[in-house]
Amino acid sequence: KAVGGVAGYRRLAREAAQQGVALISWVGSHQSQHSPYLLEHGVQAVKGPDGRHMYGSGYDAIYGMDLSSDFGPMFREAILRAARATGVSGFLYDSFYNFGWMPVNYHTPDVRNPHSPHHGRLQAHTQWRQLAEIMAALQKGGLHMLIESLGPWGQPQHGVRGAYNRPGSEPLAYQCAVSMGYSVIPVPG
């Protein structure tokens, strides 16, 4: 609404393109606990081994969504629709690694399925394949995607304080090992 709704955003994207600037927007696969999607469809969040929702990165007011649930295809199509409607060139994918690529999700199999090898126990699964499929669809749709977060490849789009490698921070340092003390300023690779 701040830029005039969809029509205003489209105008902004068109005027930016006339100046040689590709307009990108922000997107993330995590949802507020008060998200209209969650209120309508229920929580389809990543869950821990005890079956509870896993908070991500210290945020306790948002859900990291399960991309293998109905949310994944809806998320992909919503991004493509938004790009077509507004004319943006791409998106900065917020928390790509911690809410998209990295989570190990535990879900309860359908105990009504007599062929289930899990016999009602929690079964772990990853969602990196679903995220890769989403990213491929967005790229095939002509969108330029930037990754915010520490990811499995490429140059992250934010800085990590060098202090993360201090004694006592080994778990975090392990995740950030190749990124200690880097700058938020892009440098030639």
Side-chain angles (χ1 to χ4, degrees), residues 114-177:
H115 305 291
S116 171
H118 312 298
H119 306 291
R121 294 186 301 264
L122 293 175
Q123 176 64 33
H125 71 272
T126 59
Q127 63 180 22
W128 67 266
R129 287 178 185 85
Q130 287 82 13
L131 181 57
E133 290 170 2
I134 290 169
M135 293 297 284
L138 300 179
Q139 290 174 353
K140 287 176 186 173
L143 297 176
H144 176 72
M145 300 300 294
L146 296 171
I147 295 171
E148 183 281 330
S149 189
L150 299 171
W153 61 78
Q155 174 70 30
Q157 303 298 318
H158 67 84
V160 173
R161 295 185 353 237
Y164 283 165
N165 65 356
R166 69 183 180 272
S169 297
E170 288 80 6
L172 183 56
Y174 172 76
Q175 292 178 1
C176 303

Side-chain angles (χ1 to χ4, degrees), residues 22-40:
L23 186 66
I24 65 168
S25 193
W26 171 93
V27 69
S29 56
H30 44 291
Q31 297 286 298
S32 160
Q33 292 176 346
H34 306 288
S35 160
Y37 180 86
L38 295 179
L39 295 175
E40 184 176 337

Side-chain angles (χ1 to χ4, degrees), residues 71-82:
F71 180 83
M74 182 284 304
F75 179 62
R76 178 192 66 231
E77 294 307 313
I79 294 169
L80 291 167
R81 271 193 319 277

Side-chain angles (χ1 to χ4, degrees), residues 41-122:
H41 299 282
V43 177
Q44 301 165 14
V46 173
K47 296 178 182 176
D50 62 0
R52 291 185 302 154
H53 157 66
M54 289 178 52
Y55 297 129
S57 296
Y59 304 115
D60 58 1
I62 57 177
Y63 291 110
M65 299 300 288
D66 180 356
L67 298 177
S68 66
S69 72
D70 292 340
F71 180 83
M74 182 284 304
F75 179 62
R76 178 192 66 231
E77 294 307 313
I79 294 169
L80 291 167
R81 271 193 319 277
R84 285 190 299 269
T86 61
V88 298
S89 299
F91 292 87
L92 172 68
Y93 193 125
D94 186 23
S95 298
F96 177 87
Y97 186 64
N98 54 324
F99 282 122
W101 192 268
M102 176 186 73
V104 174
N105 189 9
Y106 293 82
H107 63 96
T108 304
D110 184 355
V111 295
R112 296 169 295 174
N113 178 357
H115 305 291
S116 171
H118 312 298
H119 306 291
R121 294 186 301 264
L122 293 175

